[in-house]
Amino acid sequence: KSGIDPLNTDAKYKKHIFVCVNERPENTPKGSCARCGGFDIRMRFVELINQHGLKGVVRANKSGCLDACEFGATVVVYPDEIWYTNVTLNDVDDMFNATILNDVPLERLVANKKTWDDLKTLRRITS
Protein backbone atom coordinates (compact mmCIF):
# COMPACT_ATOMS: atom_id res chain seq x y z
CA LYS A 1 0.00 0.00 0.00
CA SER A 2 1.31 3.43 -0.90
CA GLY A 3 1.52 6.38 1.44
CA ILE A 4 -0.88 8.29 -0.79
CA ASP A 5 -4.19 9.23 0.79
CA PRO A 6 -6.82 8.60 -1.92
CA LEU A 7 -9.29 10.78 0.00
CA ASN A 8 -7.36 14.00 -0.70
CA THR A 9 -9.94 16.75 -1.05
CA ASP A 10 -7.59 19.65 -1.77
CA ALA A 11 -6.92 18.81 -5.40
CA LYS A 12 -8.26 16.66 -8.20
CA TYR A 13 -5.10 14.53 -8.04
CA LYS A 14 -2.79 13.88 -5.11
CA LYS A 15 0.14 13.87 -7.55
CA HIS A 16 0.24 15.17 -11.10
CA ILE A 17 3.15 14.09 -13.30
CA PHE A 18 3.93 16.09 -16.44
CA VAL A 19 6.21 14.40 -18.98
CA CYS A 20 7.56 16.49 -21.82
CA VAL A 21 6.92 14.94 -25.21
CA ASN A 22 7.86 18.01 -27.23
CA GLU A 23 9.17 17.22 -30.71
CA ARG A 24 11.82 19.24 -32.51
CA PRO A 25 13.77 18.69 -35.72
CA GLU A 26 16.73 16.35 -35.38
CA ASN A 27 19.37 19.04 -35.90
CA THR A 28 18.16 21.49 -33.23
CA PRO A 29 20.62 22.30 -30.42
CA LYS A 30 17.74 22.41 -27.92
CA GLY A 31 17.09 18.69 -28.15
CA SER A 32 13.76 16.92 -28.14
CA CYS A 33 12.14 15.17 -25.19
CA ALA A 34 10.12 13.06 -27.62
CA ARG A 35 13.33 11.69 -29.16
CA CYS A 36 14.69 11.11 -25.63
CA GLY A 37 11.85 8.74 -24.79
CA GLY A 38 9.18 11.10 -23.44
CA PHE A 39 6.26 9.04 -24.75
CA ASP A 40 7.61 5.77 -23.31
CA ILE A 41 8.42 7.46 -20.01
CA ARG A 42 4.85 8.70 -19.69
CA MET A 43 3.40 5.29 -20.58
CA ARG A 44 5.54 3.63 -17.90
CA PHE A 45 4.17 6.09 -15.33
CA VAL A 46 0.64 5.22 -16.48
CA GLU A 47 1.39 1.49 -16.11
CA LEU A 48 2.73 2.02 -12.57
CA ILE A 49 -0.25 4.18 -11.60
CA ASN A 50 -2.58 1.39 -12.73
CA GLN A 51 -0.51 -1.38 -11.09
CA HIS A 52 -0.65 0.44 -7.76
CA GLY A 53 -4.39 1.15 -7.99
CA LEU A 54 -3.81 4.90 -8.10
CA LYS A 55 -5.89 5.77 -11.16
CA GLY A 56 -7.87 8.89 -10.29
CA VAL A 57 -5.42 9.72 -7.49
CA VAL A 58 -2.24 10.19 -9.53
CA ARG A 59 -2.18 11.38 -13.14
CA ALA A 60 0.60 11.25 -15.75
CA ASN A 61 0.08 13.76 -18.55
CA LYS A 62 1.89 14.46 -21.76
CA SER A 63 3.29 17.96 -21.68
CA GLY A 64 4.47 20.35 -24.31
CA CYS A 65 7.87 21.96 -23.92
CA LEU A 66 9.01 22.40 -20.32
CA ASP A 67 12.02 24.41 -21.58
CA ALA A 68 14.83 22.08 -20.47
CA CYS A 69 15.10 19.70 -23.44
CA GLU A 70 18.86 20.25 -23.68
CA PHE A 71 19.12 17.94 -20.67
CA GLY A 72 17.08 15.07 -22.05
CA ALA A 73 13.54 14.16 -21.13
CA THR A 74 12.04 16.39 -18.46
CA VAL A 75 9.44 15.37 -15.87
CA VAL A 76 7.73 17.62 -13.33
CA VAL A 77 5.73 16.35 -10.35
CA TYR A 78 3.13 18.57 -8.71
CA PRO A 79 2.15 19.62 -6.11
CA ASP A 80 5.72 18.87 -4.98
CA GLU A 81 7.15 21.12 -7.73
CA ILE A 82 9.98 18.66 -8.31
CA TRP A 83 11.69 19.01 -11.68
CA TYR A 84 13.61 16.04 -13.05
CA THR A 85 15.98 16.26 -16.02
CA ASN A 86 17.94 13.65 -17.96
CA VAL A 87 15.17 11.15 -17.28
CA THR A 88 15.29 7.82 -19.08
CA LEU A 89 12.82 4.97 -19.18
CA ASN A 90 15.09 3.09 -16.76
CA ASP A 91 14.60 5.85 -14.15
CA VAL A 92 10.81 5.75 -14.03
CA ASP A 93 10.35 2.93 -11.53
CA ASP A 94 12.81 4.55 -9.09
CA MET A 95 11.13 7.95 -9.55
CA PHE A 96 7.70 6.45 -8.99
CA ASN A 97 8.73 4.58 -5.85
CA ALA A 98 10.53 7.57 -4.37
CA THR A 99 8.41 10.54 -5.39
CA ILE A 100 4.93 9.15 -5.90
CA LEU A 101 4.76 6.40 -3.31
CA ASN A 102 7.08 7.80 -0.63
CA ASP A 103 7.08 11.60 -1.14
CA VAL A 104 10.87 11.69 -1.44
CA PRO A 105 12.67 13.34 -4.36
CA LEU A 106 14.96 11.09 -6.40
CA GLU A 107 17.98 13.31 -5.81
CA ARG A 108 20.16 12.00 -8.64
CA LEU A 109 17.72 13.45 -11.20
CA VAL A 110 16.37 16.52 -9.41
CA ALA A 111 17.04 19.77 -11.22
CA ASN A 112 18.61 22.38 -8.95
CA LYS A 113 20.29 25.76 -9.18
CA LYS A 114 23.32 24.22 -10.90
CA THR A 115 21.04 22.62 -13.51
CA TRP A 116 19.45 25.97 -14.37
CA ASP A 117 22.82 27.79 -14.34
CA ASP A 118 24.25 25.14 -16.68
CA LEU A 119 21.24 25.55 -18.97
CA LYS A 120 21.81 29.32 -19.18
CA THR A 121 25.48 28.76 -19.98
CA LEU A 122 24.69 26.15 -22.62
CA ARG A 123 22.16 28.42 -24.29
CA ARG A 124 24.67 31.27 -24.46
CA ILE A 125 27.11 28.93 -26.20
CA THR A 126 24.63 27.46 -28.69
CA SER A 127 22.57 30.52 -29.56
Side-chain angles (χ1 to χ4, degrees):
K1 176 164 164 63
S2 76
I4 294 176
D5 174 10
L7 301 177
N8 176 29
T9 57
D10 296 326
K12 180 156 175 60
Y13 299 105
K14 178 73 174 170
K15 300 276 185 178
H16 207 147
I17 306 161
F18 293 91
V19 181
C20 182
V21 295
N22 192 51
E23 298 180 74
R24 286 198 179 89
E26 200 167 314
N27 60 351
T28 181
K30 280 195 116 177
S32 167
C33 288
R35 283 199 325 267
C36 292
F39 287 100
D40 292 336
I41 289 167
R42 184 202 165 245
M43 284 311 302
R44 181 62 185 148
F45 275 117
V46 170
E47 290 170 3
L48 290 167
I49 288 165
N50 291 334
Q51 284 174 14
H52 288 270
L54 295 173
K55 188 173 182 177
V57 178
V58 176
R59 174 115 180 145
N61 274 90
K62 292 178 279 190
S63 168
C65 185
L66 293 169
D67 200 27
C69 296
E70 288 93 336
F71 294 139
T74 302
V75 174
V76 184
V77 179
Y78 285 104
D80 309 58
E81 297 183 39
I82 301 171
W83 284 66
Y84 291 109
T85 55
N86 290 307
V87 177
T88 68
L89 185 58
N90 292 330
D91 297 316
V92 176
D93 287 48
D94 289 343
M95 288 175 61
F96 190 86
N97 288 329
T99 308
I100 304 306
L101 297 180
N102 293 300
D103 292 317
V104 177
L106 184 61
E107 291 298 332
R108 67 183 163 88
L109 296 173
V110 172
N112 54 34
K113 183 180 181 329
K114 182 182 180 328
T115 307
W116 306 130
D117 288 346
D118 289 350
L119 184 60
K120 287 178 192 171
T121 300
L122 181 62
R123 286 183 177 170
R124 278 194 294 271
I125 293 168
T126 60
S127 58

